[in-house]
Structures are given as C-alpha cells and as structure tokens.
Amino acid sequence: MNRSHFFAHMARMKLIQRWPLMRNVEPENVAEHSLQVAMVAHALAVIRNTCFNGRLDPAQAAMRALFHDASEVLTGDLPTPVKYFNEDIARAYKDIEKNAETTLLKMLPAELQTAYAPLLSSPPDDDYGQLVKAADILCALLKCEEELTAGNREFAPARKRLTTMLDQRMNEEIRYFLEVFVPSFSLSLDEISAPEF
C-alpha cells in the first residue's frame, strides 16, 4: 500500500496564521478557525432545522466547514485586502485554490478520493456551501469582537466589513446566532460564567 501525505498536510493547518497583516492580541491559526467554523456551521444547521423547518444534515455542514480552508496548507492564507484587490487577482486566487484542492485530493489513496472530494472542493452555492460561508463570516466577526474587546481597534474596519457581508446574507439562522450567541463574545470570563436567574 502506498503512503499518503494528506493528513501530514492537514496537520500543518495549525502552522498557518490568519489575519497576517494585522496586529493580533491573540493570534489565530487556520486549524483553530476551521474547528470554530465547523461548530458554528453545525449550529446554523441545527437552528435552521429546529426553529425554521430546515432539512439540512448538521454533521455534513460541520464536515464541509472543517475542510473549508484545507487548500491553505498549500497556498497559505492570503489577506482579504490582497485576495480581493481587483477582479483579476480574485479570479487568479480562486484558480490557485482549485488547483490546491485537486492536489490535496490526489494525495489520498484512490479508494478514498470519492469520500473526500465533496469536502475538499464542495460547491460554494448549494445550501451547505452558503451555510459554511455564513459560518466563516460569523467566525471572522467573532474574532473581531474578541480583538475589539481586548482594545485592539485595528479590527474595527474588518468588523464593519463583515457586518455588511452578513447583512447581505441575512437569514433566520444567522439572525438567531447573532442575537443569541454573539453578544457573549464581548464579555469577560466572569461575566459569561455567572449564573443567570
């Protein structure tokens, strides 16, 4: 049986720093971000199903989210202002991401590729793709909340941009998550640990 370097690459997600052009009170890596996006995507699916008559599989949402930035083990995390500087750069980076996804998929043994293909190169516009993108934006917003709460004003413009992006995607489950869960991210440990009566 041939060896595969796939999971050795996946393990390096923890070495890729996010927000590389910004001062961070608390650095964040791609592995941490991907875990949080998976948890939030799972929650969004549960919220949609439980409160708004949805029919999504929360486990599938979580798994797609867990791998949503996997290509960055080959590309690195390109800062948003660079990635979207103009249409040519954005288009070229999308091509680079697709190439990296294909490269990662080919690292897997042939018999496993079918199972991992939907995770590594999932359609961005289906229900799960839209849900994962919403979770990705929400997690970036949570990072901004944490940095701003710690006094790092550098994240104020990013928070404003992300709020606009969420407004453009707004739906019931995003609104629910914003109202129920996001406010806690600007509180201290003592405040979130205090019992509510």
Side-chain angles (χ1 to χ4, degrees), residues 125-141:
D125 295 328
D126 70 356
D127 284 344
Y128 291 100
Q130 290 178 25
L131 186 136
V132 169
K133 185 61 180 175
D136 189 31
I137 297 168
L138 279 166
C139 290
L141 180 72

Side-chain angles (χ1 to χ4, degrees), residues 24-172:
N24 285 259
V25 172
E26 183 63 39
E28 178 184 53
N29 65 53
V30 172
E32 294 166 330
H33 169 70
S34 296
L35 174 62
Q36 187 179 38
V37 174
M39 290 189 290
V40 171
H42 184 275
L44 291 177
V46 169
I47 292 164
R48 182 185 291 187
N49 293 349
T50 305
C51 303
F52 306 109
N53 300 313
R55 288 188 164 79
L56 293 177
D57 177 1
Q60 184 176 346
M63 288 308 298
R64 284 196 33 189
L66 199 57
F67 285 89
H68 83 284
D69 278 342
S71 65
E72 292 184 6
V73 297
L74 300 178
T75 67
D77 182 30
L78 194 63
T80 297
V82 176
K83 192 185 300 186
Y84 299 108
F85 182 74
N86 64 39
E87 288 182 22
D88 291 337
I89 291 174
R91 194 170 27 259
Y93 189 70
K94 286 290 177 203
D95 290 342
I96 291 167
E97 282 182 322
K98 284 183 179 149
N99 186 287
E101 291 164 359
T102 301
T103 300
L104 286 170
L105 187 61
K106 288 179 180 177
M107 287 181 189
L108 285 161
E111 62 271 18
L112 301 182
Q113 289 180 13
T114 301
Y116 281 88
L119 301 176
L120 293 172
S121 56
S122 55
D125 295 328
D126 70 356
D127 284 344
Y128 291 100
Q130 290 178 25
L131 186 136
V132 169
K133 185 61 180 175
D136 189 31
I137 297 168
L138 279 166
C139 290
L141 180 72
L142 297 177
K143 166 68 171 168
C144 291
E145 291 295 334
E146 290 172 337
E147 290 288 328
L148 288 165
T149 299
N152 185 357
R153 299 298 308 155
E154 181 144 349
F155 278 77
R159 186 191 190 286
K160 184 176 180 181
R161 178 179 49 80
L162 291 161
T163 300
T164 299
M165 291 171 70
L166 284 171
D167 287 344
Q168 293 166 350
R169 295 176 168 274
M170 191 58 64
N171 59 30
E172 291 97 341

